[in-house]
Amino acid sequence: MSDAPTQPAHDGKVAASPAKAVVAVLAFAGIVVALMQTLVIPLVPQLPELLDASPSDAAWAVTATLLASAVATPVVGRLGDMYGKRRMLLISLVLLTAGSVVCGLADSLLPMIIGRALQGLSAGVIPLGISIMRDELPTEKLASATAVMSASLGVGGALGLPAAALIADHFDWHVLFWVSTVAGALATILCVSLVPESRVRTGGRFDLVGALGLSAALVCLLLAISKGAAWGWTTGTTLGLFAAGVVILFVWGVYQLRTSHALVDLRVAARKQVLFTNLASMSFGFSMFAMSLVLPQLLQLPEATGYGLGQSLLVSGLVLAPQGLVMMAMAPFSARISRARGPKATLMLGAVTVATGYVLNIFLMAQIWQLVLVSCVIGAGVGLAYGAMPALVMGAVPVSETAAANSLNTLMRAIGTTVSSALASVVLSQMTISLGPAEVASQNGFRTVMAIGAGAALLALAVASLIPRQRPMAAGHAAHGAHEAVPAGTGDQRT
């Protein structure tokens, strides 16, 4: 049986009004998923008491989401290419809603971990949404639509913190998860009603061995990175997990190159445009999270430190909220620059803007307005870059592998975020001052993390410069033209 992708009867184009509805619904679904990631942040210090668990055990409520997200993203992407992107999108949203219900009913650690893991399994919604847009939207609308979808990650994250802080301050903590339940259910209903299912499929068999191998490697590596500070970086557990992850990943790579139905087509992933875009995505994931970790601490540390601003968690969330709005506002500008200069230029401009924001923060951290300015500058850079990444990835992969390729790109961002969290935590724990009986991160520690964030953005700039040059209009056409150029019944003839 041929694995050729079939084409939508409508040639991938929907009417203008339905197209706007599809983009709005998919972006809303992306915001809901990102919201879920930040919704639990106000509860983290209270989780040991709320769940009657030790701090190290309670931390699994966060770690479980991280690991589930990493495992689900590439698997769901590949299943979307094979069996339908909308179908996998709906399954992901149902899992998010179910996980929210479990957390809403939880009063102990185990159900909370199970619920948070179920929520983490929805991480593939954003790359699936981008891939649906490639299949369904007219070429001229695709660049701006995918930029909006990418920005939804930042919008949900930025808006989630103040909303969660407000709810946690005035209501029972379970309300956070009931809000997530309602949002997930609404996103599911809207997707059922308004998002069409593409007929672009790869067919073939699912690579179960490859999925298990990649999942095992990711769990080992991310668990070692996220728990290394607590366990000790030189302990046998941490080093053993790192070693196991590397070995499994190597064996998995060899297997992927030899199987005819690979979970990840490493030959496509090794193309310069895809490879360097993914490496730049990892650097951006690292750089973006550094700000999310530092700014709330600067805002909430007591004024007695000499640099803390003594603000509440709610105020901290409100300071970060404009960043998400700026990211969304930059989506049309990202698309416009990509059409005029190519997505490579947009990605490089985003990297320069993010680096500029971090350099500003090294010197501007004494007033709330300064931190708002810094977060908006960094948000603008991330918005530009995140809008360009899908165009670069989709411009270099077959239409039959769109969801898998976008999911891999999303996974690379998540890995960068995890590494950023671990490294920033190490820096801030080593560079401290005494505040009464407590040790808190020093101002130089924060400045060091900001300098590292700027360095990561400049590394993304250097990596992006290696992406092959495209003609300006290649962004829009490359992202969509692949499926327009492939007649029904031909194309990716993998067996």
Side-chain angles (χ1 to χ4, degrees), residues 273 336-346 391-392 395 467-479:
Q273 186 164 320
R336 193 176 303 167
I337 296 170
S338 293
R339 283 193 293 267
R341 301 288 182 181
K344 174 182 175 179
T346 311
L392 286 165
I467 296 173
R469 185 180 300 276
Q470 288 183 306
R471 292 174 298 174
M473 288 306 295
H477 290 292

Side-chain angles (χ1 to χ4, degrees), residues 16 27-28 46 52 134 190 241 288 296 318 322 338 423 441 470 485-486 493 495:
F28 174 71
Q46 306 171 40
D52 191 23
R134 184 188 191 184
L190 289 173
L241 284 170
M288 181 181 174
L318 292 173
S338 293
L423 181 57
Q470 288 183 306
V486 182
Q493 300 286 344
T495 56

